[in-house]
Amino acid sequence: MTSNAAPAPGPERAPGDAPAETSPDTVPDSGTSATPQPVTAPETAPVAPETAAPTPNLATRTGFTWTALVAAAVLGVLLLIFILQNPDKTRIALFFWTLTLPLGVTILLSGIAGALLMGLVGGWRILQLRRVVKKG
């Protein structure tokens, strides 16, 4: 079989010779420099490999609510265990009231009273800041 293709331009090489300096990837420089400049491909952003469908976002209100309910149930169980392990009666006197409650219940009520007090102070501060924002 014979080929009708034209031979490649340039000097012929013998097997084992180094490649010629000019190659199809070089463009002759129109300036005064005699060395050819390589042709560069246009810059493009790297292409990410194709991946499977993106995973859906599982952070929903229902998910957060479910997590909060589970955490509250665990906390409730721990509080119940605390109260049951501290059944010793404690006498509490506040002004003219006198109560006798188990130690666990007393500590739990003290914690609730502290949380309500902090909520009251925090709520008051929020109202102050809202008034300042409304005026400004």
Side-chain angles (χ1 to χ4, degrees), residues 61-83:
R61 287 184 190 173
T62 306
F64 286 127
T65 303
W66 183 83
T67 304
L69 285 174
V70 169
V74 169
L75 185 63
V77 169
L78 291 175
L79 284 172
L80 181 63
I81 292 169
F82 176 76
I83 291 170

Side-chain angles (χ1 to χ4, degrees), residues 6-132:
E12 299 232 358
R13 296 185 317 188
D17 285 348
E21 296 229 358
T22 47
S23 67
D25 293 343
T26 59
V27 176
D29 189 16
S30 60
T32 58
S33 174
T35 59
Q37 300 296 321
V39 176
T40 58
E43 292 185 25
T44 59
V47 178
E50 292 193 29
T51 59
T55 57
N57 186 5
L58 299 177
T60 62
R61 287 184 190 173
T62 306
F64 286 127
T65 303
W66 183 83
T67 304
L69 285 174
V70 169
V74 169
L75 185 63
V77 169
L78 291 175
L79 284 172
L80 181 63
I81 292 169
F82 176 76
I83 291 170
L84 292 175
Q85 286 184 343
N86 293 287
D88 301 335
K89 299 286 182 181
T90 305
R91 197 182 83 145
I92 302 167
L94 179 66
F95 300 120
F96 52 88
W97 293 300
T98 303
L99 301 170
T100 304
L101 295 171
L103 180 62
V105 174
T106 304
I107 295 174
L108 179 63
L109 290 176
S110 298
I112 291 172
L116 291 175
L117 185 61
M118 285 303 276
L120 183 66
V121 171
W124 183 260
R125 180 65 181 151
I126 288 172
L127 289 175
Q128 284 180 335
L129 292 173
R130 283 185 181 174
R131 276 186 263 164
V132 168

